[in-house]
Amino acid sequence: MNIYLTVWHYLVLVIALLLIVLSIFSALQAKRLIQQLAILFVSLILISAGTFIVLAGLESYTKKAKIFNLKHDRLLQSEQIVFTGVVKNMGEYPLARVQLELTLQNTQKQQSGIFGGAPHAFNEAFDSKYQPQTINYDYTIATDLPPGYSKAFTIMIDYPPYFNDTSYRTKAIAH
């Protein structure tokens, strides 16, 4: 798996290393071993937590992908849904991987409850075979995507037979 680090990632890592070196020197200035270890322990935890937070923020800021022309068709012969679309790198840096987070949610028919229109959660209490009403899928739709480039994708998934009507939510996650 490729991981693309930007100039900003390297800068954060260099600053973190400099802070670790400074904390080691400041710990050596303490006279007792317990104080030295305490300074090292606290500073390492704070520096690594800060570095992790900044790197996570940089990931979301520098790596952006967007999905265009997302269409879905249901194939009745094979009981599948076909999603087609185009993913584009909207950032200035290359993307190692773009994932599509797809959520299918069942929409219940009106007046289909035990008491006419009771919520579906109430009906599940009396149903011996619980079937999930929300299903999440994660698919890798592009790898090694340079800045400004786009790539077409196609995904086929099995349609849950107990779904009445389906609503879709999608999200592109760039790495």
Side-chain angles (χ1 to χ4, degrees), residues 20-109:
I20 288 172
V21 169
L22 285 174
S23 67
I24 290 172
F25 283 130
S26 67
L28 292 176
Q29 300 299 320
K31 295 183 179 180
R32 294 175 41 194
L33 180 64
I34 300 277
Q35 290 175 340
Q36 291 175 348
L37 293 176
I39 290 171
L40 280 177
F41 181 71
V42 169
S43 62
L44 287 178
I45 287 179
L46 289 176
I47 291 169
S48 49
T51 303
F52 179 76
I53 290 170
V54 171
L55 286 176
L58 275 175
E59 277 293 306
S60 65
Y61 180 72
T62 59
K63 299 185 178 180
K64 301 174 187 174
K66 191 169 183 181
I67 297 175
F68 295 100
N69 300 331
L70 183 67
K71 297 177 184 169
H72 58 86
D73 293 315
R74 186 169 171 191
L75 302 175
L76 295 177
Q77 293 102 350
S78 61
E79 284 297 319
Q80 291 180 323
I81 305 173
V82 178
F83 287 91
T84 58
V86 176
V87 62
K88 183 175 181 180
N89 183 352
M90 302 298 286
E92 299 175 7
Y93 302 99
L95 300 177
R97 181 182 59 182
V98 180
Q99 283 185 302
L100 175 68
E101 189 176 275
L102 175 66
T103 302
L104 301 179
Q105 188 166 11
N106 190 13
T107 306
Q108 293 296 312
K109 292 180 182 176

Side-chain angles (χ1 to χ4, degrees), residues 149-171:
Y149 281 77
S150 59
K151 183 179 179 183
F153 65 90
T154 302
I155 298 172
M156 293 181 73
I157 61 171
D158 292 333
Y159 188 80
Y162 56 90
F163 272 30
N164 294 327
D165 191 19
T166 308
S167 62
Y168 309 98
R169 283 187 310 230
T170 59
K171 181 180 178 184

